Every structure is written in structure tokens, then in C-alpha cells.
Amino acid sequence: MAGPGGRHAQAPGGGDLAGRQAELVAALVAGGPLPPGFATAPVEAARRALLRKRAGDVARHWPLLAAGLGDAWPATFAGWAAGRPTNGSLRDGWDLARELRDRDTLPPLGAEELAVREAAIRYDGRTAPRPRRLPAVARAGGAVAAQLAGRVRLLRPAPR
Amino acid sequence: MTAGPSGVGIGWRPEIAGFVAGLPGLRFVEVVAETVAPAGPLPDGLAELRARGVTVVPHGVKLSLGGAEPVDPARVAHLAGVAAALDAPLVSEHIAFVRAGGLEAGHLLPLPRSREAVAAVVANVRRAQAELPVPLALEPIAALFDWPDDELNEGDFLTEILDATGALLLLDVANVHANARNRGGDPGALLERLPLDRIAYVHVAGGTEQGGFYHDTHTDPVPAEVLDLVRELCDRRRPPALLLERDGHYPPAAELRGELDALAAASSYPVIT
């Protein structure tokens, strides 16, 4: 990202709205530097408010994951999402759940939610998730779910 | 086309669809446009409201009319399609940008109050208006920070955009309160400068103090200061309609009814509960 003297560091009113908007969004969601001239504290407050709002949005798409983490949900999500631009709430929660699974820190409720989702929907981690047409079995954190003809069942709950 | 919004309404959300359906005096609601599929069936509950003759206004949140880049034609087409599917009298969107440089902010971000930004908004609003079947109302947003190079004050910035586009105004009194609280300025003075005769309807929402800032969360009760501002606005020129916005942390029905009643009392419109 261009700083002072860089590509977008034009004088105020210098007519590079696109570049300056891109710098501001990068500072808010992608860990970019604060563009020149902006007040630090209010932009930082906006960055944090944005993470709280995203945490709420993702919790609505992944209610069991959020409930499983309980009081730790806001901080867990913010820790993962800071500097990581959103791919939409469904994918954000999915990516976070997979990361927690790989770290062995996925709570049982989250494991069951992830297993059910993976049985029902194919998600490659890069593009929009798509419903599965073929029967599938999915496992996460000890939970096992299966999908047959569009119906999804949790075959084995995650160990408590 | 159905009648324009009038009286007291509420933002329709799936989580409170049952509560909204049970409001006997309800005449209008607003729905987040991105949650409605123009070609598919309407969300449960919304079709019933339309059958009852309740006006539904699609409210866009992701168009990014304030982006320096041209507005995405597919997003405009979606908004137009939702307006047609709901037989809406108008649609609304924000004077803000939500993405830039290929990154989604996931939130409404403020523009510099500059001539360049006015030109960007006006160009995008005209592109949208050319495709929309109904009038467009523009909503100024709440923001925690300003750009360093404002050339215009808030009132002139908004008025220039409205004058150049002929768009209606969706005034959010909670945003007016939040901006005055966080960025300075007198909310009454802003009302003085705005074309209040251009208001299609008004948003009212709750927020909370956190870390020295007032956050327009939509998850908290409407504070007394915002209701005071509703009264002040109605004293100057009562808008045709006022809408309560609530997103998440939905309270018990009695509390929501209380909020709607307080809004009716502050605006002297009939209670809808």
C-alpha cells in the first residue's frame, strides 16, 4: 500500500477518489496502514466496530459455532478476522470453523454444525459453496454427519 | 404501484416476522433488498403483508453508490427486480461506499465531502435511476470519522447530491444524532439546512455508547436524545413516515411495541400496535 510519496499520496482534493477509497478500506479490513490525514482513534474505533458487526453477522449464519464458543466468540472471531477481508458471513464462519478444527479447538456444537454443513454443501475454500448432489459423509471434531437425497443427519455427536 | 410509506413502520426481518405480522395498524415495512430474490418466492411473511396491502420498501445496503467506480449493473438490476416483485412505491440506498480496490468493507463507509465525491455519487445515482422502475431515496449514514479534506458541510453536501439527481431523502435521525455526537456539529442546524420537503421517510434506531463513541448499532433501545430529535424534526416539518430499525438482539415483543408506541407519540402518528 502506498504511503506518503506513493502512488495514491496526492494532495487533499487531488482527484484520486478510487485510490484513496481503496486505501481506507484496506486500512479498515486488510491490515493496511492508515491513509494520511485521518484521525487514528476514530478510524480504529470504526475498525473495531466493524469486527463486532461481522462477528454478529457470522454468528447468525453459524449459531452453534458461536454458541459453542460462548463468551469467547467475539474475541475468537475478531482475532481471526482482523486484517482478513470478508468473503461473506457464510464463508467467513466456514473458514474459521475449519481453522479451529485444524487447531483442535472447535467446540462440540461447532464441530456438529461444521459436519452437517460439509455433508450438505461442497465448499472448496475459494469459491461460493454449492449444494451437494451426491450422497456424502462428513466428519469434524469427532462429529459425523451424512447427507442422502438432500436430507442431512447428524450420525454421531461430537464427544463432550 | 402501491401507496408511498406513511405513518409508523418497522424494518421487516425474518427473526421478527411473526411480531410484525401481528401489528394491527401496520401500513408499511422496509426489507433489506439483498435478502430478497426477485425471481424466487418472497420470504415467508412478506407475501402475506403484501396481500394485506402493507407497503414494502426495498432498502439496499450493498450498492456502493458512493464508490468511485461505476455501480455494479447486476446489483442495480437486483434492486429494480425486488422493487417490481414487491410492487414497491420507491427504493432506498445509502450515500456511502462499501467496497473499493476489490475489497469488501462489509459496512457503510463515509465519503469525503468533496466535489469529486459529489460527482461520483451523482453519476452512480443517475446510472441506478436509469434502471429503477420507481423513485430512489438516498440515506446519509452514521460515521465515526471524517475524511481529512472536506470541502462542503454535511447539509450542502447532501443538498448538492439531491439537487443534481432529483432523488428523495431518507433521513435517519439516529445517524444525525450519532454524527453530531461523534464528529461534532449541531443536529438542529443540520435539520435547518436539509430539504425536509424532500423526505420520503425517516429511519429511527437505537445505539449505544462504547469507548467514547456513540455506535448506531440497531441492537439497543432508541435513546431519549433520538426521540427528542424526532420531535424536533416533526415540529419543523413532519415527514410522511417514520420507520423503526432493529437488527439483532431482538427484545421481547412488549419492548418492541413500546418502541413503536414511543415513535408514534413523538411524531403524533397513530399507534400501530
Side-chain angles (χ1 to χ4, degrees), chain B:
Chain B
M1 192 189 297
T2 51
S6 64
V8 173
I10 184 166
W12 186 91
R13 307 287 184 266
E15 294 90 337
I16 53 171
F19 170 82
V20 175
L23 292 169
L26 186 68
R27 299 301 309 140
F28 97 100
V29 298
E30 181 193 70
V31 63
V32 175
E34 284 81 357
T35 66
V36 178
L42 294 176
D44 289 344
L46 215 48
E48 287 84 343
L49 289 181
R50 282 299 301 123
R52 269 169 60 186
V54 173
T55 297
V56 183
V57 176
H59 182 54
V61 296
K62 291 184 175 171
L63 217 48
S64 203
L65 288 174
E69 294 135 14
V71 67
D72 177 0
R75 293 181 188 273
V76 178
H78 180 97
L79 186 55
V82 173
L86 290 166
D87 190 25
L90 59 98
V91 298
S92 55
E93 242 297 352
H94 302 85
I95 298 176
F97 75 106
V98 303
R99 69 185 68 85
L103 288 180
E104 291 283 336
H107 197 58
L108 304 161
L109 297 178
L111 302 171
R113 291 190 283 266
S114 65
R115 304 274 175 205
E116 187 188 10
V118 169
V121 176
V122 168
N124 271 335
V125 169
R126 286 178 177 156
R127 287 182 187 109
Q129 286 171 324
E131 306 300 325
L132 290 169
V134 291
L136 172 65
L138 298 176
E139 178 182 11
I141 62 164
L144 295 177
F145 61 88
D146 283 306
W147 285 64
D149 50 338
D150 289 344
E151 297 168 335
L152 303 161
N153 65 44
E154 180 82 356
D156 292 343
F157 177 68
L158 297 173
T159 303
E160 286 206 10
I161 291 168
L162 296 174
D163 282 349
T165 59
L168 299 166
L169 175 60
L170 165 51
L171 184 66
D172 187 323
V173 289
N175 290 352
V176 172
H177 168 71
N179 288 337
R181 165 74 181 72
N182 294 329
R183 297 152 79 187
D186 174 13
L190 177 63
L191 297 184
E192 185 76 42
R193 303 182 78 106
L194 288 179
L196 303 185
D197 59 331
R198 200 90 64 83
I199 293 181
Y201 63 112
V202 161
H203 274 173
V204 184
T208 186
E209 297 277 337
Q210 187 162 14
F213 292 91
Y214 179 87
H215 293 267
D216 180 48
T217 59
H218 298 189
T219 57
D220 296 271
V222 177
E225 295 92 329
V226 171
L227 283 175
D228 287 343
L229 208 49
V230 171
R231 278 185 214 97
E232 188 176 339
L233 170 67
C234 291
D235 284 347
R236 287 170 191 271
R237 186 184 183 106
R238 187 167 69 154
L242 303 101
L243 181 124
L244 179 69
E245 288 184 295
R246 186 88 189 198
D247 292 286
H249 283 283
Y250 298 99
E255 276 179 45
L256 264 184
R257 271 197 290 273
E259 298 241 285
L260 287 168
D261 290 347
L263 193 48
S267 62
S268 305
Y269 275 116
V271 296
I272 63 167
T273 56

Side-chain angles (χ1 to χ4, degrees), chain A residues 85-143:
Chain A
T86 184
N87 284 313
S89 297
L90 178 63
R91 285 178 59 184
D92 283 359
W94 209 314
D95 292 342
L96 172 56
R98 283 178 173 175
E99 184 165 314
L100 295 178
R101 176 197 64 194
D102 296 346
R103 278 195 244 144
D104 278 329
T105 53
L106 192 58
L109 281 174
E112 290 161 11
E113 192 165 38
L114 179 60
V116 165
R117 285 277 163 81
E118 304 233 335
I121 304 170
R122 180 196 314 276
Y123 173 45
D124 63 6
R126 297 183 310 276
T127 55
R130 291 170 181 226
R132 290 183 188 275
R133 287 161 189 255
L134 300 175
V137 174
R139 295 176 175 78

Side-chain angles (χ1 to χ4, degrees), chain A residues 12-13 15-17 20-21 37 50 53, chain B residues 66 68 105-107 116 148-149 215:
Chain A
D16 182 22
L17 187 62
R20 300 179 70 222
Q21 286 184 339
L50 232 146
K53 177 170 172 279
Chain B
H107 197 58
E116 187 188 10
D149 50 338
H215 293 267

